[in-house]
Amino acid sequence: MISCRNVSKSFRDHKVLNKINFDVPEGVIVGLLGPSGAGKTTLIKILTGQLLSDEGKVEVMDRDVTKLKGADKNRFGIMMDQFGFYERFTCSENLKVFADIYGIPQSKVTDSLKDVGLEGASKIKASDLSKGMKARLLLARALMHSPKIIFLDEPTSGLDPKSMRAIHEIILKRKKEGCTVFLTTHNMDEAAMLCDNVMLLNEGTIVENGSPEELCRKYNRDKKIKVSLSDGVTKEFKQMGQDKHELADLISKGMIETIHSEEPTLETIFLELTGKKLQED
Amino acid sequence: MQKILVIFKKQLRDTVRNKTILIQFILFPLLTLIMENAVTLDNMPEHFFTKLFAVMYIGMAPVTSVASVISEEKEKDTLRVLMMANIKPWQYLIGVGTHVWTICMLGALLMSTGLPASERPFFLTVMAIGFIISVILGACIGIASRNQMMATSLVMPVMMVLSFAPMLAMFNDIIKKGATIFYTQQLKTVFDEMSWSTFSAKNITVICLNVIVFVLLFAVLYRKKGLE
Ligand SMILES: Nc1ncnc2c1ncn2[C@@H]1O[C@H](COP(=O)(O)OP(=O)(O)OP(=O)(O)O)[C@@H](O)[C@H]1O
Ligand SMILES: [Mg+2]
């Protein structure tokens, strides 16, 4: 669905993206992870034809993205955090404008609002919406014309867990219907839960990519085990080497209360690869 | 065509809610009606206020509204959403332009109620031409501005010159000389007589030059910045 070849982009002398390469097959959710300033938004803009790359080539649905026609654009659904609304219009009036543009029936407006759980808010002015509601309205607008390919730039950043879950469900539902989703985030739990594939972006290069499980297995070199003992102490062991005897000893003595394997998360992988945290805490 | 209509409809819905623009639309027509009925001075020319306010209306309302609409959509990034939904820049500009022009024509119609019926077609035709020129100028400012703040600060001086110069020209000869290079001053002299025969070669040349300058300015700005 998306093919990105050797894409580079600089703003003046600052190289934001450096030879980015990847492919996104149809029907999957791909997540682009990276800390703030990594170039995620810039990449989405290039993929959607809002920005020209300095080098390289992007094809979406086998078309050069710089030469998209009207019909192609109608198969795109785009949600960017800086996109705004007509603030003097209500939720449903905002969507009506786009229903008219896409030539889809007005009944679709009510359906779209229901899909994102805003049916009760249809008469509220866009400027009076809460942050979570705004995100859902943005999503409704991006999805109302049933696009085949969906680009979401930090769809859940700064939202409460409930709104976040609601948005995850909407995204997963679209995937079931056969849509391809490309999203950015700096929340690794979100990426691990939603994405079939993740790409870790750092300082303009993709430092690693694969399915979340694959990556966690790959970086699970130490195979660490964490145990809490009946005397209240917590200890970490490596399965290999010296540690295994002590561990076996503890088991035979019946000292172990709980035992967990310590697999790396996307967060720790990112830290290992770049020495940086994804999210400031 | 359908896309232009969508933009037109969107703007129409916004007209009554957008207070800053609504005031622009109704201020001068309302002032005209009030002043024409309330104030009568000795040896004041006939329909003095209608003619004066008509020119000020041309120089103010369309420029301000078009610039404000375009710059607001840029600031809120709704313009980009429209472009991503496959609205072409020219469809957007024509939609916004025709909406503002139409509303201004309604205002002009209201202003013309004080004039004798025989003068109304002339008056409205000249107003229509003036609004078109002002809409182009407003679009230039909208395209040149990154946000509403910038649009307002650009509109202010332009509006002052276009609207107030014709008024001040009545009292001051130097201003009158300077003001002749602007289409609003030319339209003012045309309105003073209210007949086609007052269109002199000079009137027409100055107005055409104004149009050429604005269209060129528009072309340059548009090619440089587009609707980004
Ligand atoms: N129009 C621009 N002009 C100059 N520099 C820019 C421009 N847009 C982005 N940048 C720079 O490019 C870098 C990457 O920005 P980008 O918005 O893509 O990051 P991001 O990964 O989306 O970050 P965040 O998670 O904060 O949204 C930043 O250093 C930013 O300053
Ligand atoms: Mg970003």
Side-chain angles (χ1 to χ4, degrees):
Chain A
M1 278 302 256
I2 309 174
S3 108
C4 183
R5 292 278 160 274
N6 281 318
V7 166
S8 299
K9 176 81 192 171
S10 306
F11 291 111
R12 279 170 228 104
D13 51 354
H14 174 36
K15 194 139 198 167
V16 176
L17 295 174
N18 189 8
K19 297 218 185 316
I20 303 283
N21 276 294
F22 63 86
D23 284 285
V24 177
E26 191 172 345
V28 301
I29 302 182
V30 172
L32 182 67
L33 267 101
S36 189
K40 303 183 295 294
T41 304
T42 308
L43 185 54
I44 278 214
K45 281 187 177 167
I46 291 173
L47 295 180
T48 52
Q50 298 176 57
L51 195 68
L52 289 179
S53 60
D54 300 336
E55 289 166 54
K57 190 167 179 186
V58 177
E59 283 185 359
V60 179
M61 294 183 286
D62 300 322
R63 299 277 170 91
D64 186 334
V65 81
T66 56
K67 300 186 187 103
L68 287 178
K69 301 241 161 43
D72 303 322
K73 279 193 182 174
N74 287 352
R75 294 157 78 190
F76 279 41
I78 305 171
M79 171 184 178
M80 311 275 289
D81 50 357
Q82 77 269 33
F83 278 3
F85 301 109
Y86 296 114
E87 293 184 350
R88 292 178 292 272
F89 285 12
T90 64
C91 290
S92 66
E93 283 168 346
N94 262 289
L95 294 189
K96 262 182 203 145
V97 172
F98 289 87
D100 284 345
I101 291 174
Y102 290 119
I104 52 183
Q106 297 291 324
S107 61
K108 195 78 182 154
V109 170
T110 328
D111 295 346
S112 301
L113 285 173
K114 207 183 281 163
D115 280 347
V116 297
L118 283 178
E119 62 268 41
S122 70
K123 295 250 157 28
I124 297 181
K125 270 205 300 187
S127 55
D128 297 339
L129 293 175
S130 72
K131 202 166 179 190
M133 290 162 106
K134 265 188 193 148
R136 280 184 280 161
L137 186 59
L138 271 178
L139 200 57
R141 188 174 68 188
L143 301 181
M144 72 182 300
H145 57 295
S146 313
K148 286 296 293 171
I149 181 157
I150 301 167
F151 294 91
L152 309 169
D153 190 14
E154 299 190 22
T156 58
S157 78
L159 297 188
D160 61 287
K162 191 159 163 263
S163 305
M164 206 176 216
R165 255 194 314 279
I167 285 182
H168 289 169
E169 269 160 33
I170 298 161
I171 296 172
L172 287 169
K173 185 164 160 244
R174 290 292 165 146
K175 182 199 165 185
K176 268 207 200 98
E177 293 164 9
C179 297
T180 310
V181 182
F182 186 98
L183 61 87
T184 71
T185 175
H186 34 202
N187 179 335
M188 68 285 166
D189 294 331
E190 171 170 281
M193 198 204 103
L194 276 181
C195 302
D196 302 298
N197 241 307
V198 292
M199 301 189 281
L200 307 183
L201 184 72
N202 184 45
E203 289 176 359
T205 46
I206 293 179
V207 288
E208 186 57 276
N209 78 81
S211 74
E213 300 80 29
E214 225 170 75
L215 291 185
C216 293
R217 239 179 291 126
K218 181 171 164 189
Y219 285 86
N220 194 5
R221 296 201 194 95
D222 294 343
K223 298 211 170 68
K224 277 192 206 150
I225 290 173
K226 191 180 201 171
V227 294
S228 20
L229 306 176
S230 41
D231 56 9
V233 181
T234 344
K235 272 190 156 176
E236 262 190 18
F237 296 99
K238 289 183 182 167
Q239 271 189 50
M240 299 297 149
Q242 293 294 322
D243 287 359
K244 65 183 171 197
H245 302 297
E246 194 185 342
L247 187 63
D249 200 36
L250 285 171
I251 295 174
S252 63
K253 282 189 194 151
M255 295 268 294
I256 292 174
E257 290 284 317
T258 65
I259 179 162
H260 294 286
S261 58
E262 283 272 275
E263 289 132 21
T265 61
L266 291 175
E267 176 80 63
T268 55
I269 295 172
F270 196 86
L271 191 66
E272 183 177 333
L273 282 168
T274 66
K276 269 196 222 161
K277 286 192 170 179
L278 275 171
Q279 263 176 317
E280 323 278 320
D281 1 51
Chain B
M1 192 61 212
Q2 172 246 345
K3 300 265 172 76
I4 298 174
L5 209 64
V6 174
I7 301 297
F8 187 88
K9 265 171 59 186
K10 168 178 95 60
Q11 291 309 122
L12 204 59
R13 177 171 276 150
D14 196 39
T15 317
V16 279
R17 304 185 198 178
N18 193 343
K19 303 284 183 307
T20 39
I21 290 190
L22 192 62
I23 288 174
Q24 287 290 329
F25 286 142
I26 56 178
L27 179 69
F28 283 108
L30 211 63
L31 267 181
T32 308
L33 292 187
I34 295 170
M35 297 298 267
E36 285 287 356
N37 289 306
V39 184
T40 37
L41 298 172
D42 294 334
N43 63 40
M44 191 174 69
E46 235 188 337
H47 307 300
F48 174 80
F49 289 113
T50 310
K51 291 168 183 176
L52 175 61
F53 288 155
V55 172
M56 296 181 79
Y57 193 38
I58 289 177
M60 222 182 260
V63 183
T64 319
S65 338
V66 172
S68 141
V69 168
I70 295 177
S71 59
E72 183 182 10
E73 293 228 39
K74 276 189 180 176
E75 184 175 324
K76 302 275 153 57
D77 236 333
T78 46
L79 193 52
R80 192 190 297 274
V81 184
L82 291 176
M83 300 294 131
M84 294 314 294
N86 201 27
I87 297 275
K88 305 272 184 304
W90 63 268
Q91 293 170 328
Y92 174 79
L93 291 170
I94 291 179
V96 170
T98 43
H99 166 258
V100 169
W101 183 87
T102 310
I103 302 289
C104 285
M105 281 310 282
L106 290 178
L109 204 64
L110 197 65
M111 287 176 134
S112 73
T113 51
L115 295 171
S118 61
E119 289 183 357
R120 277 180 214 155
F122 176 82
F123 175 80
L124 288 175
T125 314
V126 175
M127 290 300 273
I129 296 167
F131 290 147
I132 293 175
I133 304 173
S134 294
V135 163
I136 298 173
L137 186 58
C140 291
I141 296 175
I143 288 172
S145 317
R146 220 168 305 113
N147 50 37
Q148 290 191 87
M149 278 272 279
M150 192 168 161
T152 318
S153 52
L154 286 176
V155 159
M156 278 310 259
V158 170
M159 189 179 85
M160 286 293 186
V161 169
L162 291 180
S163 299
F164 289 100
M167 181 175 71
L168 298 175
M170 294 188 299
F171 313 110
N172 182 315
D173 271 344
I174 298 169
I175 294 183
K176 190 169 189 171
K177 279 221 182 70
T180 49
I181 61 166
F182 300 115
Y183 66 107
T184 42
Q185 173 65 22
Q186 297 300 328
L187 293 176
K188 176 79 174 59
T189 57
V190 168
F191 277 142
D192 284 341
E193 299 299 325
M194 278 292 173
S195 83
W196 291 109
S197 55
T198 48
F199 267 110
S200 64
K202 189 183 165 204
N203 290 147
I204 295 170
T205 320
V206 172
I207 292 171
C208 286
L209 277 177
N210 272 259
V211 172
I212 291 168
V213 169
F214 298 154
V215 169
L216 279 180
L217 185 66
F218 178 85
V220 169
L221 286 169
Y222 185 78
R223 284 196 49 184
K224 208 173 117 207
K225 301 191 77 168
L227 277 184
E228 288 294 312

